[in-house]
Amino acid sequence: MLDANMTQQLKGYLANIKQPIELVASLGDDAKSRELEELLNEIAALSDLIEVVRSDDDKRKPSFMIRRKGTDIGVRFAGIPMGHEFTSLVLALLQVGGHPSKAAQELIEQIQGIDGDYEFETYFSLSCQNCPDVVQALNLMSVLNPRIRHTAIDGALFKDEVDGRKVMAVPTVFLNGEQFASGRMDLEQIVARIDTGAEAKAVEKIAKKDPFDVLIVGGGPAGAASAIYTARKGLRVGVAAERFGGQVLDTMGIENFISVPYTEGPKLAAQLEQHVKENDVDVMNLQKAEKLIPASEEGGLHEVKLANGASLKARTLILSTGARWRQMGVPGEDEYRNKGVAYCPHCDGPLFKGKRVAVIGGGNSGVEAAIDLAGIVAHVTLIEYDSDLRADAVLQRKLASLPNVKIITSALTTQVHGDGEKVTGLTYKDRKHGADHEVALEGIFVQIGLVPNTEWLKDAIALSPRGEIEIDARGETSQPGIFAAGDCTTVPYKQIVIAMGAGSTAGLSAFDYLIRLPSAEVSEAA
């Protein structure tokens, strides 16, 4: 199961285990059970503090529990956690074995203090880049608090269970038998949802903060670059982000980040956050901006009101709120979201194995999605509004070579159909002839571009007809002392490397603005 390189790396990690652990296996007579048994024995051979115990007492086979010997502390995996979940397996082994987490001490204490009994079950896919964050967060919570339990389940391996629970997107989390959430969440988000006093504590904490020299709204590549550049100038910098990392967290492979041949979104997002925090930036995660009140006079304080009722003030602002997937805006789309309507083919594609799906959009992202899905599903129908596909020629040639793909151009999707529980098809209008056509299918993957996250800025600063923040070459907006960067702006190309450059520009412009204010208006830090 493990190649020589993985074995050597894992042996090095397992040297950090401090307390003995047991790998308690529940196995059947099938091939996957034999694979799991082989994996567990290979792991145990790498450390004297690990042993394999056969119990066969769990309803899911193959599955295993990582348990601290002589205690109830542990986590369970149903399936074989390889692929993207191999990191989750390694972390679980270390944490159950007594190796401390890197989570903030304040958050650890918050988890340990949660009252109540919580039984979590997470359905994941081995190809899902968002799933490990959820699995690892819930695993850590179950290690820190004995009243929290977690089982991570490979949806592709337990297909009957997935169908019975109507799971059509990953990660999907159940709590005490009821659906709790679907989609990517980090540790802070999960804790905030089950700790009823978390929001009030956050508001109280924010209320005590003094005005910042620079407040950055948004924690994607642009926001991270702005934070690093301004903090290195000696300014007092804060970042308020709804989720640190932004769209990068939803990106699978990144191959055009200059000097880095390949990386993945969640890894890059974690590196961005670490770099920002190393520069003494006050990062306020899970904070959604709702209203901007510009300063009444140049050099005054701008105010950002948050969804939880708190507000932040700063001498300068850098808006880097990014963008989100564009929706079709047709009847049935919202009703069947995560019930067949999906936006991430890498995450949710394996759940549609052997089924019929559609991809909406003929740009690079749509054609890439169709190519990926064609290797998993029974049939892909790609629907494009324009008369021609807009993807790169090399992608179009690859798509055309696939036998189970049908391409429909000059077509407008008008409705999503379902039976009340899941998608059953869609209707599209032939734009050339005006006729309506219905396609029977089980899944719809929407890939039609991005919408800037700027609705909260209307009437506060100038926006383009598409809702993008209008900026000049220095990143300046229509309001003095307010700058912007990244995918939420009028910059023509939405790319990670361009967002980082724009964020750096906005940061330098904010610093230049501050040092040109009358000296009485600049903080001692500047």
Side-chain angles (χ1 to χ4, degrees):
M1 289 292 294
L2 300 176
D3 60 30
N5 184 49
M6 293 175 70
T7 299
Q8 191 62 32
Q9 287 185 342
L10 184 57
K11 186 174 182 178
Y13 288 131
L14 296 181
N16 293 304
I17 290 179
K18 297 177 173 57
Q19 300 185 48
I21 60 178
E22 299 172 323
L23 306 180
V24 186
S26 291
L27 306 172
D29 297 326
D30 57 290
K32 287 296 182 182
S33 289
R34 290 190 290 273
E35 284 184 32
L36 178 58
E37 185 175 25
E38 178 185 351
L39 174 63
L40 298 182
N41 285 326
E42 288 180 8
I43 293 171
L46 300 177
S47 172
D48 293 337
L49 293 176
I50 302 176
E51 66 174 310
V52 178
V53 177
R54 182 78 178 262
S55 72
D56 298 336
D57 60 347
D58 190 68
K59 64 180 180 180
R60 298 184 182 96
K61 294 180 176 63
S63 69
F64 67 101
M65 184 175 188
I66 305 173
R67 183 170 63 197
R68 188 176 297 171
K69 200 167 184 179
T71 74
D72 292 329
I73 296 173
V75 300
R76 183 177 292 277
F77 288 93
I80 306 173
M82 299 298 285
H84 284 291
E85 290 301 337
F86 185 69
T87 302
S88 301
L89 169 61
V90 174
L91 285 173
L93 289 166
L94 293 176
Q95 290 164 357
V96 175
H99 187 65
S101 165
K102 292 183 179 179
Q105 185 59 34
E106 183 180 5
L107 186 58
I108 289 173
E109 292 173 0
Q110 186 179 359
I111 294 167
Q112 292 171 331
I114 291 174
D115 191 25
D117 295 308
Y118 300 87
E119 184 76 33
F120 287 100
E121 298 167 295
T122 301
Y123 291 90
F124 66 83
S125 163
L126 294 178
S127 62
C128 169
Q129 76 270 24
N130 292 326
C131 295
D133 286 332
V134 177
V135 171
Q136 291 165 23
L138 289 168
N139 280 349
L140 176 59
M141 291 172 66
S142 67
V143 171
L144 294 174
N145 188 326
R147 299 183 69 179
I148 299 173
R149 298 291 182 191
H150 180 229
T151 301
I153 306 159
D154 182 354
L157 200 56
F158 294 90
K159 198 69 173 60
D160 291 343
E161 195 170 323
V162 164
D163 292 341
R165 281 184 144 176
K166 300 179 178 61
V167 176
M168 303 192 75
V170 289
T172 291
V173 182
F174 285 78
L175 171 57
N176 297 336
E178 301 293 328
Q179 186 165 331
F180 172 74
S182 182
R184 186 191 177 280
M185 293 185 297
D186 60 24
L187 183 61
E188 287 181 280
Q189 288 173 301
I190 297 171
V191 172
R193 284 197 59 175
I194 66 174
D195 184 357
T196 54
E199 186 169 272
K201 294 174 187 174
V203 171
E204 182 180 356
K205 187 175 180 180
I206 289 173
K208 296 177 181 178
K209 295 182 184 292
D210 294 328
F212 293 95
D213 292 317
V214 182
L215 174 64
I216 298 154
V217 185
S226 296
I228 292 166
Y229 266 74
T230 50
R232 285 171 59 85
K233 294 293 187 181
L235 302 173
R236 183 167 180 271
V237 180
V239 174
E242 190 170 353
R243 60 169 189 161
F244 200 97
Q247 287 180 70
V248 170
L249 293 166
D250 304 322
T251 304
M252 180 64 174
I254 300 170
E255 298 178 338
N256 58 356
F257 188 44
I258 310 306
S259 84
V260 181
Y262 180 82
T263 188
E264 293 180 350
K267 180 180 179 181
L268 177 58
Q271 292 170 329
L272 289 174
E273 186 169 12
Q274 180 182 355
H275 196 177
V276 167
K277 289 182 175 178
E278 285 175 355
N279 283 275
D280 196 27
V281 174
D282 187 348
V283 176
M284 296 160 280
N285 207 7
L286 307 184
Q287 301 303 322
K288 182 178 181 179
E290 278 201 338
K291 186 177 182 180
L292 167 61
I293 304 175
S296 57
E297 58 183 8
E298 189 165 1
L301 294 177
H302 307 285
E303 182 177 4
V304 174
K305 289 186 175 293
L306 305 175
N308 60 14
S311 65
L312 293 163
K313 294 182 179 180
R315 300 175 188 280
T316 60
L317 295 179
I318 298 176
L319 307 174
S320 59
T321 49
R324 62 188 182 277
W325 287 115
R326 185 182 299 276
Q327 296 178 226
M328 296 183 291
V330 302
E333 181 178 16
D334 286 338
E335 182 181 354
Y336 291 102
R337 187 188 310 276
N338 296 327
K339 297 178 182 179
V341 175
Y343 300 85
C344 180
H346 300 296
C347 302
D348 300 332
L351 298 176
F352 293 85
K353 183 177 181 180
K355 297 181 178 180
R356 301 160 299 173
V357 305
V359 172
I360 313 300
N364 281 351
S365 61
V367 172
E368 287 173 354
I371 292 170
D372 288 345
L373 290 165
I376 302 171
V377 304
H379 188 268
V380 179
T381 301
L382 186 144
I383 299 176
E384 164 59 28
Y385 180 84
D386 287 340
S387 57
D388 297 296
L389 301 184
R390 293 167 287 109
D392 295 342
V394 63
L395 294 174
Q396 292 193 45
R397 287 195 295 270
K398 174 63 177 177
L399 183 68
S401 72
L402 301 174
N404 61 334
V405 174
K406 180 180 180 180
I407 301 170
I408 301 173
T409 56
S410 297
L412 172 64
T413 304
T414 56
Q415 187 170 356
V416 173
H417 303 290
D419 60 8
E421 295 183 345
K422 61 183 183 301
V423 164
T424 59
L426 63 76
T427 296
Y428 73 87
K429 179 182 289 293
D430 183 331
R431 296 180 57 239
K432 288 183 177 179
H433 305 99
D436 289 330
H437 300 273
E438 189 167 330
V439 181
L441 42 74
E442 290 77 38
I444 301 169
F445 289 83
V446 183
Q447 302 281 291
I448 55 174
L450 302 170
V451 178
N453 296 316
T454 58
E455 292 87 351
W456 64 287
L457 295 170
K458 289 178 180 177
D459 302 323
I461 58 175
L463 303 176
S464 74
R466 297 182 60 184
E468 297 170 326
I469 302 171
E470 294 184 349
I471 58 171
D472 64 13
R474 295 168 54 86
E476 292 179 299
T477 72
S478 59
Q479 290 283 358
I482 300 180
F483 305 84
D487 288 3
C488 63
T489 73
T490 49
V491 65
Y493 303 109
K494 317 301 186 185
Q495 298 289 312
I496 292 170
V497 69
I498 291 173
M500 286 184 174
S504 305
T505 297
L508 292 172
S509 296
F511 173 71
D512 186 68
Y513 174 85
L514 283 169
I515 63 174
R516 294 176 189 280
L517 291 174
S519 59
E521 295 176 353
V522 182
S523 74
E524 293 180 3

